[in-house]
């Protein structure tokens, strides 16, 4: 066989795959000495308990498959929610949970509804599944629209990100309950940022048979590199989702280290308090410079520069090795999303913003 | 709201999910002091380089997302195949790779073909995707049937497990090439066990535009707990598969430790040599006791007891805390699949088999 003859590439992909563009995660620059405020990671290291667990881990056990059910984690999380391990499914990050839910509850005849703007992964996961999407625009102030239930009605799965990303604001809990009570389908509440919020909908998992609460260890647990997320819901929902999950989706080390993090509640509470403080500082500081800033209940701030030219601000920051996230588009294009870093990061960002918006820009 | 009122569970699952039974992985018993020969794990610990990498890992980095592309691993693996990192996709175990391929190339109008018996996960993954399956029975001696291409013709994806599981035998490489040359669709060669075989089809990735080679670190690299697998194929195939893979599918620790294992070629070669020796010992010993044993190019043996009552043998072993794998069914039901353990494990298995089949069984 000759290469010329055989290497005529023909696509055998499903047309849905060929025609889609993949999801683009935030940049993970490999250069050193950058200020990385673009992917909502924690500026703090994980709990010291994670280090202890790492040091006491017997590497010889890696020859064995991990527990396919992440039993200890699910039991512990179940207890946290006043429920059983049977109400919990573990994911390789909460993206895994989202993917599983979209495969379970949507297809070409079962649409997915979500708010816009929200997490840009939802439409990508829907496209993979050939699922039609119902995008429900938030109001101009990023609050929930009154006709949400009417618009979402044809969907079988409704995802509400609460607090929302990339806008950072939350939605009233009583309205969330009303939506869950009246929506004829599954409501997945993506609580990736709920640990930074004033309240959460965790109790809905026990009180609504059609609600899935999804959470992650990537933000508030300072463990984005570890890949752990989970969902809590009615036992029957978890049972079905288990069929779709990859058997050994969570590695042995991830299970061990996630559990260690879970046990250290004091460190977790402390990190969140620090983030909230830096958030308040960033919020007030940017307002002072003339930014429009959305009230945030997350570990990031969604802010629009005085001249609304967010792309320019994004590029100027990048020149200075400060990475934030910019989402082009008519609504999001006026804002940048800035992860709450340390108070030092926040101060640095201020000085750059002041420099730019006092017209003192040198280049 | 009262619990009674709201907790009336209604299924919103896709009917395909409700009607399917999930994949059942081999038992991972939590009791100690068992001889675990049921899930084809290595009896040896991972390379000492893995321990070094674990010890030198800076746990603070876990706050950051992992490299979404597992770049270093893909570059290294690409080089191994005489190709580029663009020809490699990293998976959270090779089950992740299989899932991605089945989502890319199959759906309700694009069937999946595979041999029977082979890896029982394939039909589960197809069911999730609503994909019709073409099961092509192997011949009585577990060799490839002559009409394979005719039977597989309606499929868009053909998976051939080589060497095969659970039967352990391999298929002639020239016949594999002929299949790849003539099949109008993608041929995924599942080489989970290829490191234990006399040859492999790794070079097909460079020579056929429609071939995907899938491999795993779970068996020959002694790293089942780590979750790492990969696929090598034409750049365009990898590009499409990337759209389907979860952004951060491989954890930071897994990337780091898998790379350390990859670099220690000497340990890898040594482990394989030891497995092959124990396999030869098990093969000859079981033959001697009157078993029918299939020629194995894997890290397990597929063997049928003298009376063909494999379920009885399986249960007798279990009573003695020796776990092997039993697959019910007209063809597989006459055999047990025994993972090659240490030579000590092999000796223990002999003594039990001798005890049972000399009619000296006490209970």
């Amino acid at each position: 066989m000759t290469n010329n003859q055989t290497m005529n590439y023909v696509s055998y992909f499903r047309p849905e795959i060929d025609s889609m563009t993949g999801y683009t995660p935030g940049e993970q620059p490999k250069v050193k000495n950058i200020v990385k405020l673009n992917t909502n990671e924690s500026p703090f290291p994980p709990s010291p308990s994670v280090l202890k667990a790492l040091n006491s881990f017997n590497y010889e056990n890696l020859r064995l498959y991990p527990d396919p059910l992440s039993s200890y984690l699910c039991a512990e999380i179940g207890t946290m929610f006043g429920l059983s391990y049977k109400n919990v499914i573990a994911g390789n990050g909460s993206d895994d949970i989202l993917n599983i839910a979209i495969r379970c509850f949507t297809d070409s005849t079962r649409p997915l509804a979500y708010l816009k703007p929200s997490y840009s992964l939802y439409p990508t996961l829907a496209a993979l599944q050939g699922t039609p999407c119902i995008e429900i625009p938030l109001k101009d102030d990023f609050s929930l629209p009154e006709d949400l239930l009417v618009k979402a009605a044809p969907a079988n799965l409704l995802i509400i990100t609460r607090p929302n990303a990339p806008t950072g604001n939350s939605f009233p809990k009583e309205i969330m309950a009303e939506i869950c009570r009246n929506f004829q389908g599954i409501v997945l509440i993506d609580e990736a940022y709920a640990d930074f919020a004033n309240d959460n909908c965790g109790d809905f998992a026990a009180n609504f048979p059609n609600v899935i609460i999804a959470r992650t260890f990537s933000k508030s647990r300072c463990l984005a590199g570890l890949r752990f997320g989970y969902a809590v819901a009615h036992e029957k929902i978890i049972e079905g989702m288990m069929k779709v999950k990859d058997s050994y989706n969570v590695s042995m080390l991830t299970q061990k280290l996630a559990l260690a993090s879970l046990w250290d509640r004091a460190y977790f509470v402390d990190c969140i308090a620090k983030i909230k403080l830096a958030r308040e500082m960033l919020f007030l500081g940017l307002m002072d410079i003339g930014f429009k800033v959305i009230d945030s209940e997350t570990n990031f701030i969604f802010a629009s520069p005085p001249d609304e030219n967010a792309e320019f601000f994004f590029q100027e920051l990048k020149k200075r090795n400060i990475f934030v996230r910019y989402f082009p588009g008519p609504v999001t294009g006026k804002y940048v999303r800035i992860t709450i870093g340390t108070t030092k990061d926040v101060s640095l960002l201020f000085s750059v913003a002041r420099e730019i918006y006092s017209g003192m820009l040198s280049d």
Side-chain angles (χ1 to χ4, degrees), chain A:
Chain A
M1 105 198 109
T2 75
N3 265 18
N4 286 352
Q5 214 178 348
T6 56
M7 287 308 269
N8 279 327
Y9 172 79
V10 178
S11 173
Y12 291 102
F13 280 94
R14 289 163 49 216
E16 293 89 333
I17 306 291
D18 267 336
S19 66
M20 74 183 278
T21 30
Y23 171 74
T24 314
E27 271 182 273
Q28 300 292 347
K30 280 177 186 158
V31 291
K32 302 257 170 187
N33 298 321
I34 61 156
V35 180
K36 194 166 178 304
L37 305 174
N38 68 333
T39 52
N40 299 342
E41 290 142 338
S42 173
F44 307 115
S47 153
S49 311
V50 171
L51 178 60
K52 260 189 223 160
L54 193 68
N55 288 340
S56 71
F57 180 76
N58 180 358
Y59 93 109
E60 297 198 358
N61 288 337
L62 285 173
R63 72 177 185 86
L64 300 171
Y65 280 97
D67 171 8
L69 301 177
S70 303
S71 312
Y72 295 117
L73 275 161
C74 289
E76 197 78 15
I77 292 163
T79 307
M80 264 170 50
F81 282 79
L83 292 167
S84 128
Y85 73 94
K86 289 183 185 168
N87 298 97
V88 186
I89 181 171
N92 184 42
S94 69
D95 287 353
D96 187 21
I97 297 292
L98 296 172
N99 191 21
I100 291 168
I102 284 172
R103 291 196 86 181
C104 280
F105 302 108
T106 82
D107 59 20
S108 59
T109 64
R110 291 174 181 80
L112 168 71
Y114 54 84
L115 293 154
K116 195 167 177 180
S118 68
Y119 187 22
S120 54
L121 181 67
Y122 308 143
T124 304
L125 295 177
L128 291 180
Q129 184 70 355
T131 297
C133 289
I134 302 170
E135 295 191 337
I136 306 172
L138 289 170
K139 288 161 67 170
D140 286 347
D141 63 355
F142 301 132
S143 65
L144 291 177
E146 279 77 22
D147 60 355
L148 189 151
L149 275 171
V150 178
K151 283 194 173 146
N156 195 47
L157 174 64
L158 165 63
I159 304 185
I160 301 181
T161 325
R162 180 186 190 274
N164 192 40
T167 61
N169 61 309
S170 193
F171 309 122
K173 194 167 168 181
E174 59 278 13
I175 296 183
M176 294 297 293
E178 201 187 305
I179 292 167
C180 295
R181 203 175 298 118
N182 292 303
F183 181 67
Q184 300 297 311
I186 299 288
V187 183
L188 185 151
I189 307 178
D190 184 345
E191 292 201 337
Y193 300 99
D195 292 325
F196 306 104
N198 302 330
D199 63 3
N200 63 63
C201 297
D203 54 308
F204 287 16
N207 291 322
F208 292 97
N210 64 328
V211 169
I212 300 172
I213 302 294
R215 295 211 184 144
T216 174
F217 275 37
S218 296
K219 327 284 181 186
S220 56
R221 294 274 173 190
C222 324
L223 284 170
L226 197 63
R227 316 310 301 130
F228 187 74
Y230 63 89
V232 188
H234 191 287
E235 194 178 319
K236 287 274 178 197
I237 291 183
I238 298 300
E239 210 178 288
M241 289 175 78
M242 285 289 184
K243 298 182 193 172
V244 177
K245 122 176 157 51
D246 176 48
S247 312
Y248 300 109
N249 62 333
V250 182
S251 92
M252 193 182 281
L253 271 162
T254 296
Q255 291 185 37
K256 179 106 177 169
L257 271 48
L259 197 61
S261 163
L262 203 57
W263 283 335
D264 189 355
R265 188 151 179 89
Y267 184 83
F268 166 73
V269 168
D270 185 50
C271 283
I272 287 169
K274 282 188 204 149
I275 296 283
K276 283 184 176 174
L277 194 71
R279 180 174 77 196
E280 188 63 13
M281 202 176 127
L282 186 59
F283 181 87
L284 295 173
L286 287 176
M287 293 276 272
D288 186 51
I289 302 168
F291 278 65
K292 180 183 169 192
V293 191
I294 307 300
D295 240 329
S296 170
E297 296 199 27
T298 62
N299 70 337
F300 59 84
I301 284 266
F302 204 49
S304 181
D307 61 358
E308 294 194 348
N309 191 345
E311 193 174 2
F312 171 78
F313 184 52
F314 167 75
Q315 294 294 356
E316 287 300 317
L317 290 173
K318 201 169 174 177
K319 279 184 199 164
R320 292 161 177 82
N321 273 335
I322 303 173
F323 287 72
V324 300
R325 191 91 192 256
Y326 174 67
F327 300 92
V331 178
T332 53
K334 294 176 188 161
Y335 295 82
V336 290
R337 193 194 67 185
I338 308 168
T339 303
I340 313 292
T342 56
T343 48
K344 195 182 145 203
D345 296 336
V346 170
S347 302
L348 178 66
L349 200 94
F350 283 156
S351 65
V352 175
R354 277 205 199 90
E355 181 191 326
I356 296 172
Y357 295 103
S358 327
M360 294 183 300
L361 200 64
S362 52
D363 56 320

